[in-house]
Amino acid sequence: MTLEKYAEVLRGIKDTDIPFHEGDYVSHTTGKIGYRAYYQVGDVWYWYSVSDTTEIILPSAVANAILHGQCQRVGSFKVNGFEATVRFEGRSFMLNMGSKKPSFKKSNS
């Protein structure tokens, strides 16, 4: 997986498609609230979180951030996944892909 391929997958998801899950999260490092969503495409799970916002961030906006932002890190996630962080317009976009459905703790917000 590359950032470009991840953006291509997100461009294939319609902004009107309902995520499998979405909601707020609280950053473990800053204590600030952000937004996260995850989608299943075939047998693969794609999820992203965006720092410092409670607004819904659509897949097309994440694809735009990938294409026009600054990659801070990119690498493998667990055995067969992918993860990356991109900075764009003052926010961090944390991107993940894997074969297992992600699990998140519920936010207290």
Side-chain angles (χ1 to χ4, degrees):
M1 178 62 63
T2 65
L3 281 173
E4 292 78 15
K5 287 181 182 178
Y6 194 99
E8 186 176 312
V9 169
L10 290 181
R11 285 194 303 261
I13 298 171
K14 296 175 185 162
D15 285 344
T16 55
D17 289 348
I18 297 172
F20 185 85
H21 175 83
E22 68 177 338
D24 296 343
Y25 75 94
V26 177
S27 169
H28 299 293
T29 56
T30 66
K32 294 182 179 181
I33 295 175
Y35 172 80
R36 67 176 173 219
Y38 56 93
Y39 295 85
Q40 186 175 19
V41 178
D43 293 332
V44 180
W45 292 90
Y46 294 85
W47 64 100
Y48 57 84
S49 54
V50 182
S51 67
D52 302 326
T53 187
T54 56
E55 296 176 20
I56 294 172
I57 307 296
L58 299 172
S60 63
V62 178
N64 185 57
I66 292 168
L67 297 174
H68 301 288
Q70 178 184 9
C71 178
Q72 292 185 320
R73 69 180 179 90
V74 63
S76 60
F77 176 74
K78 299 199 177 181
V79 176
N80 63 345
F82 169 82
E83 67 180 349
T85 302
V86 172
R87 286 289 289 176
F88 183 67
E89 294 184 344
R91 292 187 178 139
S92 291
F93 291 73
M94 288 70 67
L95 316 168
N96 292 86
M97 182 228 44
S99 59
K100 293 186 178 180
K101 177 179 142 187
S103 61
F104 296 109
K105 293 180 182 177
K106 293 204 180 247
S107 171
N108 292 329
S109 61

